[in-house]
Amino acid sequence: MEQPMRSGRRKLKIHSWLKQFCVESFRPKQPGLHFASCIIPSLKMFAGMMGRRAAPVMAQRMQGLQGAPQEVQARSVATLKTLSLRMRSIKNMQKITKAMKMVATAKFKKDQARMEGGLPFATPVMKLFQRLPTEEKSGPITYVAVTSDKGLCGGVNSQVSKQVRNGIADEEAKGNACKIMVIGGKGVSGMKRLYGDRFSSTFEEVSKMPFNFATASIMAERLAVSKPTRAKIVSNNFKSMVAYDTVAQHTVTVDEAQTMDKAEWTKAMDVYSFEPSIYEVWEDLHEFYYGCSIYAAFLQSATVETAQRMSAMENASKNAGEMYGKVELQFNRARQAKITTELCEIISGASAV
């Protein structure tokens, strides 16, 4: 008789408690207060109280038929945690891309000022050698690829590498030997696997210090020592903040100048006067021409790099914002589903009691 009496007292106690909860919890405390503002805190309190009171009963009900305990699955817990971590990582990436855009903006102004000051120095010599007649000849060729040391700047470096690879494929199909002189770490990593045996000189970590004509002269000396039969400088020409051209500029070599028609050569050079005579300073003038060509190509490539990095980081920040919105929507849906499930469990538990 003792066990049925205890169960009957327990039921009476629970029913009286539920009656008191429903009367006190769902009654508005202030006149004119909306019902929803009362029911939501009440449901939260009800969930907490039901969790404490119904825990022993639920533990007994979760026992199997043979007395073996079954695992209680926490729904949406792992999903919510995973989504929250992903949202945090996306937000951190967006902060990084915005900071990189600001750094690229400040660097672009310096690179553009350096380009505008350096091109007038190199352009006259380049225009002088452009007056010389050019002929398509066969023979060994040297490609000078001007790239950057850092990535995250769109397709700036890949376009240079692609044009060099296409040029090498065309020249080797004609039976001409090819050599590559690479400026910048990205060009080395992009062509080393397939064309590493054709590298004659490589220059990496060039952008750690501001590029000047002395650095270009060292590269030009390496090019002059190799005595190329033909040479092309592949680089990016700056047009605007959002536009650039990848060109393979033909560079007149010493060998081409020596085999050139003398009448045509004299006609092109007689426009200018030289002291001492051009025959005495020709070798030095040619090395100076190599240096000016590399200097101008690098200045324009550096400006294009920073401009494209600004655009790339802006697009990355925009994409991160869109991705954050999608993940946040998934998170809110999962959270609402979890709340709905918990309310259904609370209601079903109360009805079972």
Side-chain angles (χ1 to χ4, degrees), residues 139-143 168 171-172 174-179 198 230:
I141 185 172
T142 300
Y143 282 95
I168 290 175
E171 292 294 337
E172 290 184 347
K174 298 176 183 178
N176 300 324
C178 298
K179 292 183 179 180
R198 298 169 179 81
R230 295 185 299 155

Side-chain angles (χ1 to χ4, degrees), residues 31 42 45 64 69 81 106 109 111 113 212 230 252 258 264 280 286 290-291 297 304 308 317 331 334 346:
S42 302
M45 182 175 67
K81 185 176 181 181
K109 296 179 180 178
D111 289 340
N212 51 26
R230 295 185 299 155
V252 180
Q258 290 176 351
E264 295 291 336
E280 297 179 12
H286 214 105
Y290 284 158
V304 170
Q308 293 302 309
S317 301
F331 178 83
I346 292 168

